[in-house]
Amino acid sequence: FRVSEDGEGRPRAGVRGRGQREALHLGALLVRHGYLYPLRDPRSLALRPDETPYRFQTPYFWASTVWPASELDYAIYLAKRSIQRRGALLDHEKEHYDQLQWKISHAWDLVVTQAREQLRAMKQRRRGDRLVITCQEQAYWLVNRPPPGVPNVLEQGPERGSCAASRLQTVSTARRGACHSPYLKFSSQRGPHDPILSGCLPSNPWVTDDDTYWAVNAPTAATPTRLRVERWGFSFQELLEDPVGRAHFMDFLEKEFSAENLSFWEACEQLRYGGQAQVPALVDAVYQQFLAPGAARWVNIDSRTMERTLAGLCRPHRYVLDDAQLHIYMLMKKDSYPRFLKSDMYKGLLTEATVPVETKRRVFPFMRKPRHCSPSPALPTAGPGGGGED
Amino acid sequence: MCDQTFLVNVFGSCDKCFKQRALRPVFKKSQQLSYCSTCAEIGKLERERPKLPDVELHQVAERVEALGQFVMKTRRTLKGHGNKVLCMDWCKDKRRIVSSSQDGKVIVWDSFTTNKEHAVTMPCTWVMACAYAPSGCAIACGGLDNKCSVYPLTFDKNENMAAKKKSVAMHTNYLSACSFTNSDMQILTASGDGTCALWDVESGQLLQSFHGHGADVLCLDLAPSETGNTFVSGGCDKKAMVWDMRSGQCVQAFETHESDINSVRYYPSGDAFASGSDDATCRLYDLRADREVAIYSKESIIFGASSVDFSLSGRLLFAGYNDYTINVWDVLKGARVSILFGHENRVSTLRVSPDGTAFCSGSWDHTLRVWA
């Protein structure tokens, strides 16, 4: 077995280098897990990309058998090695050997007897076979008792529970054909906005160490970039999630005398994601401000929803305003939002929006730009602290 | 999305399946019926499902332009953990991250400058879950202590971070994943006891629990949907389940993986999610079609995928594997775009930054790497 395979199976122009690297990597892992071992007395399980011969490990010693390598087995192995090498064990092996002698002192006779028996049986085999069996065993113990500094490849992390019978009756519905065009549409629309795919202007901070991109796109930047303003047109959700977009939308609604809709929606969000203890007070506040007859900022909800909502208010919980919130959200989404996109205000924002200039590639890479620190959001500021607000 | 109606606290017999459940009003041809949440969601799906023949995603994507040469490199290496890095999360400021490791250490870094800003030592080992609060003022973490604790971040030199620790969630087995919802006040957790749960941070009260997995739950992700009411979880029972947060009911379940599901992540539009599993594949599940629509696998990939995340446009899927590599997949065409080497042990966690400029991977080799 020699290392010469192409990991991809088919060499392709320009990809051969990568395929070979993947092949070497996979080969190295197979060796590290003990499925292959170097034939000539190995101290470490590593894959050397030269003419070193490797052999397949015998299935008896495969890690996948998940056969626990017991202390007794290890003791016998070390005893054999000690006898063969007249006590000249490696440091860590000597340490283990001494420890085991103390731990299983009650069965030490068994250990020594077994070791001698196995060595005697080995002498009756051909020299070639003896070498192979010794190497196999050595590789096995390198995997199961790695020397200091070598990570234990058998470690799996905390034990996971096995799969019991499913308690839930799975919903069996006829699975119909999928419509794939939403994915194509979404990805092609968002592609130019994806910094990893299309880059970003002026430059990707991680690549050039220049954090101007973040300054220009700060959550409360005064002049948003063109790409950012464009995104507000992709979906109502995008507009609301951007603080600057939401603020402009609020201005627009004020012009249309329907700003209470957005305020109501914001209050409902606060209720849904707020602390449990604040629920009764918030529900009451929302009722007084938006839902009570003659309220200062009364929202226009259909009578059916209003009836249900008011009925639910006697036992307030965080989802009690969900119906009303959805109704108002849909109203804004289907009515105000499209008008906003067609409005002069939005068109003006698009034309005023900035397009940052690309940072020229650094000619002298060793003159690295200093990486600016930024204030942590956890620092106390003059404004309202964290928690609750989005 | 249009006619979804919501939960009212009425219990009774569902008009469709006749089971005793919490009911919601559903309007069919101006007649009011009462459906349980499961039947209501199924009805919604059936109405929305297009009647098209089964065509695979990669076939439809043939007409899409192929991606060009792809070059991503390690731009930052964060060294400081003394043991395996198990989990990480980004702050909304796009540069800070929190990471947790096997030795109980949880560190907050400004990964742009690679400075460590906060460090706390948990009283347990194997801190498998950590999350950054949306405000950037707190972090949550947990692991073999079966709890999820919230630590407010403080720069006060006289204050010991561990002193202000708040114990929020209590499970009966290890904590595998946690995430804040839209605010600092609620946390969603997943545990080795087979359940997920929603908690109020201030009081530690259990708001909702989610039962249905047949084995340990290993991961969860909140839906980026407009109404923000669902999340997906994956577990050792090979199932990915979508839950309604208000009623606690499982709305959809997907069982096509052949081994434990280590990671689930929503597609940016919220219409689908990807999963990474010990069976060495990643899969894409469409929520409206209610089925798997793509598999990302290769014969040369034989180690499990531990962590997956999408790029901002959803065109790329980054997956970290137990063979120390990160594979980058073209979501539409189903082909691998690139393989990234660098880590010297398992990649245990991977997240794309909030603005999509980079992604960070954490590994059992004690380091984190930011790639761009």
Side-chain angles (χ1 to χ4, degrees):
Chain A
F1 181 86
R2 296 282 197 274
V3 178
S4 58
E5 60 190 301
D6 182 315
E8 304 282 324
R10 288 165 293 136
R12 281 180 294 167
V15 184
R16 184 188 280 272
R18 182 154 43 96
Q20 193 175 43
R21 186 165 183 194
E22 195 184 353
L24 284 172
H25 181 79
L26 183 58
L29 281 174
L30 289 173
V31 173
R32 234 194 269 204
H33 281 76
Y35 291 95
L36 303 167
Y37 62 88
L39 190 54
R40 309 222 174 88
D41 195 56
R43 288 288 170 80
S44 69
L45 293 173
L47 185 71
R48 276 179 282 277
D50 50 28
E51 292 300 301
T52 319
Y54 289 79
R55 271 183 143 253
F56 288 100
Q57 174 67 289
T58 175
Y60 181 77
F61 281 141
W62 282 359
S64 56
T65 57
V66 199
W67 199 332
S70 72
E71 298 286 57
L72 191 63
D73 291 328
Y74 191 42
I76 295 169
Y77 168 71
L78 287 177
K80 278 197 297 188
R81 263 177 94 83
S82 183
I83 295 170
Q84 272 179 319
R85 290 160 179 256
R86 296 170 219 279
L89 291 174
L90 296 169
D91 285 340
H92 75 273
E93 287 177 333
K94 217 175 274 196
E95 230 179 272
H96 280 298
Y97 194 48
D98 293 336
Q99 261 177 14
L100 287 165
Q101 238 178 337
W102 181 79
K103 255 200 234 174
I104 25 182
S105 55
H106 54 284
W108 201 250
D109 287 339
L110 173 64
V111 171
V112 175
T113 319
Q114 265 294 306
R116 290 212 178 103
E117 265 303 306
Q118 288 183 14
L119 282 174
R120 205 176 51 76
M122 279 276 274
K123 283 209 172 72
Q124 302 184 344
R125 309 198 63 153
R126 282 183 9 235
R127 193 171 173 277
D129 286 349
R130 248 186 289 156
L131 175 66
V132 165
I133 293 171
T134 314
C135 283
Q136 285 175 345
E137 225 186 344
Q138 189 165 9
Y140 175 78
W141 287 110
L142 276 171
V143 171
N144 283 278
R145 295 285 189 277
V150 176
N152 183 358
V153 290
L154 297 181
E155 189 168 8
Q156 292 296 320
E159 209 179 292
R160 294 177 180 178
S162 56
C163 179
S166 173
R167 283 177 257 160
L168 180 81
Q169 229 175 337
T170 34
V171 173
S172 55
T173 54
R175 289 176 168 188
R176 307 263 197 84
C179 183
H180 299 302
S181 52
Y183 298 114
L184 289 101
K185 179 166 173 270
F186 186 88
S187 290
S188 67
Q189 187 188 49
R190 307 290 171 137
H193 297 253
D194 186 338
I196 292 178
L197 270 188
S198 317
C200 52
L201 299 173
S203 67
N204 188 322
W206 301 102
V207 175
T208 58
D209 287 351
D210 176 11
D211 61 357
T212 311
Y213 178 73
W214 288 329
V216 166
N217 285 293
T220 46
T223 40
T225 64
R226 192 185 173 86
L227 278 178
R228 187 172 175 180
V229 179
E230 265 176 31
R231 275 201 292 277
W232 301 344
F234 287 169
S235 76
F236 188 40
Q237 192 183 359
E238 282 275 5
L239 175 66
L240 286 186
E241 276 176 3
D242 186 340
V244 176
R246 198 194 281 199
H248 284 295
F249 186 61
M250 181 68 95
D251 287 343
F252 174 76
L253 288 180
E254 260 153 29
K255 290 209 177 85
E256 298 212 322
F257 304 105
S258 52
E260 68 276 358
N261 289 341
L262 185 56
S263 301
F264 174 69
W265 181 85
E266 285 177 337
C268 291
E269 285 285 279
Q270 252 200 322
L271 170 67
R272 279 209 310 166
Y273 297 111
Q276 188 67 5
Q278 282 83 52
V279 165
L282 274 171
V283 170
D284 192 53
V286 168
Y287 172 73
Q288 298 297 340
Q289 206 181 11
F290 297 101
L291 297 172
R297 309 191 71 189
W298 192 78
V299 283
N300 194 357
I301 307 173
D302 71 290
S303 53
R304 214 163 47 196
T305 313
M306 181 65 96
E307 241 177 75
R308 261 207 315 277
T309 306
L310 293 177
L313 287 183
C314 38
R315 265 177 306 149
H317 57 92
R318 67 178 58 241
Y319 303 121
V320 74
L321 296 174
D322 273 5
D323 285 355
Q325 183 184 6
L326 185 67
H327 179 94
I328 294 293
Y329 183 84
M330 285 302 165
L331 194 68
M332 289 192 289
K333 177 177 171 181
K334 300 241 160 101
D335 194 31
S336 317
Y337 173 62
R339 275 208 303 277
F340 171 71
L341 293 181
K342 294 197 194 103
S343 69
D344 290 334
M345 182 195 261
Y346 181 66
K347 293 195 177 121
L349 288 167
L350 269 177
T351 38
E352 280 164 21
T354 60
V355 179
V357 180
E358 183 179 3
T359 313
K360 287 293 170 212
R361 281 202 158 265
R362 204 156 289 287
V363 178
F364 300 105
F366 53 81
M367 286 172 62
R368 209 173 63 166
K369 216 179 149 103
R371 296 167 181 172
H372 295 142
C373 292
S374 77
S376 166
L379 282 168
T381 49
E389 283 191 347
D390 191 5
Chain B
M1 267 340 302
C2 317
D3 298 311
Q4 190 174 10
T5 54
F6 285 82
L7 181 74
V8 173
N9 282 334
V10 174
F11 265 90
S13 167
C14 169
D15 283 336
K16 188 162 181 199
C17 63
F18 307 109
K19 295 210 177 98
Q20 289 293 323
R21 292 261 166 86
L23 302 176
R24 336 173 160 171
V26 162
F27 294 89
K28 275 190 136 181
K29 297 189 173 87
S30 66
Q31 187 202 11
Q32 180 173 344
L33 299 168
S34 293
Y35 279 6
C36 66
S37 127
T38 317
C39 292
E41 292 294 332
I42 296 168
K44 184 166 78 86
L45 285 170
E46 279 175 354
R47 277 198 303 278
E48 287 182 353
R49 198 169 297 149
K51 284 126 180 86
L52 290 175
D54 258 359
V55 178
E56 289 308 314
L57 176 58
H58 64 86
Q59 288 171 287
V60 174
E62 259 161 37
R63 51 187 160 99
V64 176
E65 231 178 79
L67 294 169
Q69 225 356 295
F70 200 77
V71 175
M72 275 188 98
K73 292 199 264 196
T74 301
R75 304 289 175 175
R76 301 287 189 276
T77 306
L78 303 176
K79 296 190 191 171
H81 276 291
N83 215 315
K84 309 179 176 65
V85 176
L86 302 175
C87 187
M88 60 84 41
D89 191 18
W90 288 90
C91 175
K92 284 230 161 88
D93 76 348
K94 306 145 192 173
R95 47 192 286 170
R96 284 176 170 78
I97 64 168
V98 60
S99 59
S100 64
S101 71
Q102 182 194 352
D103 59 3
K105 278 242 167 41
V106 179
I107 302 179
V108 174
W109 319 68
D110 176 354
S111 53
F112 189 64
T113 56
T114 71
N115 292 338
K116 298 192 229 338
E117 292 192 340
H118 305 268
V120 72
T121 308
M122 293 275 286
C124 69
T125 57
W126 288 93
V127 186
M128 292 176 272
C130 63
Y132 223 120
S135 67
C137 297
I139 55 164
C141 48
L144 284 186
D145 57 351
N146 301 358
K147 294 197 260 208
C148 184
S149 312
V150 174
Y151 291 86
L153 294 176
T154 172
F155 281 95
D156 191 341
K157 294 233 162 47
N158 299 326
E159 247 181 47
N160 178 11
M161 256 182 76
K164 288 258 165 105
K165 158 178 156 173
K166 218 181 291 183
S167 229
V168 176
M170 299 268 242
H171 280 279
T172 53
N173 207 334
Y174 64 86
L175 191 83
S176 54
C178 66
S179 172
F180 285 90
T181 60
N182 272 13
S183 78
D184 288 13
M185 310 271 190
Q186 292 177 334
I187 286 198
L188 191 59
T189 58
S191 165
D193 64 12
T195 68
C196 300
L198 181 67
W199 309 84
D200 177 59
V201 172
E202 193 60 49
S203 61
Q205 187 189 348
L206 173 67
L207 299 174
Q208 185 61 260
S209 68
F210 306 90
H211 297 257
H213 274 287
D216 307 19
V217 186
L218 297 178
C219 50
L220 60 81
D221 191 32
L222 284 152
S225 85
E226 300 175 287
T227 48
N229 292 322
T230 59
F231 73 94
V232 63
S233 66
C236 288
D237 57 354
K238 311 173 198 169
K239 284 215 219 105
M241 299 173 95
V242 181
W243 306 86
D244 173 14
M245 276 173 72
R246 292 152 307 161
S247 63
Q249 304 276 20
C250 171
V251 172
Q252 281 175 284
F254 302 88
E255 195 174 356
T256 61
H257 270 295
E258 292 162 20
S259 186
D260 303 358
I261 298 179
N262 295 314
S263 175
V264 285
R265 193 71 63 206
Y266 271 93
Y267 184 76
S269 72
D271 295 327
F273 68 90
S275 59
S277 160
D278 274 348
D279 66 6
T281 67
C282 298
R283 294 173 200 236
L284 186 70
Y285 295 94
D286 185 309
L287 294 172
R288 286 186 207 189
D290 196 30
R291 68 175 181 95
E292 173 193 295
V293 292
I295 306 185
Y296 307 100
S297 67
K298 239 178 147 49
E299 277 197 2
S300 55
I301 300 176
I302 56 175
F303 285 80
S306 62
S307 191
V308 298
D309 203 354
F310 285 99
S311 72
L312 212 61
S313 63
R315 181 70 194 268
L316 298 171
L317 180 70
F318 300 102
Y321 288 77
N322 291 341
D323 66 358
Y324 321 170
T325 65
I326 296 163
N327 288 289
V328 185
W329 299 92
D330 181 333
V331 171
L332 302 178
K333 290 185 181 283
R336 183 178 66 185
V337 170
S338 184
I339 178 170
L340 303 173
F341 298 96
H343 278 298
E344 291 162 13
N345 207 322
R346 285 197 200 191
V347 177
S348 52
T349 179
L350 190 154
R351 296 294 293 263
V352 171
S353 77
D355 63 351
T357 47
F359 72 86
C360 180
S361 59
S363 161
W364 281 18
D365 67 1
H366 310 186
T367 67
L368 294 121
R369 285 173 182 247
V370 179
W371 306 75

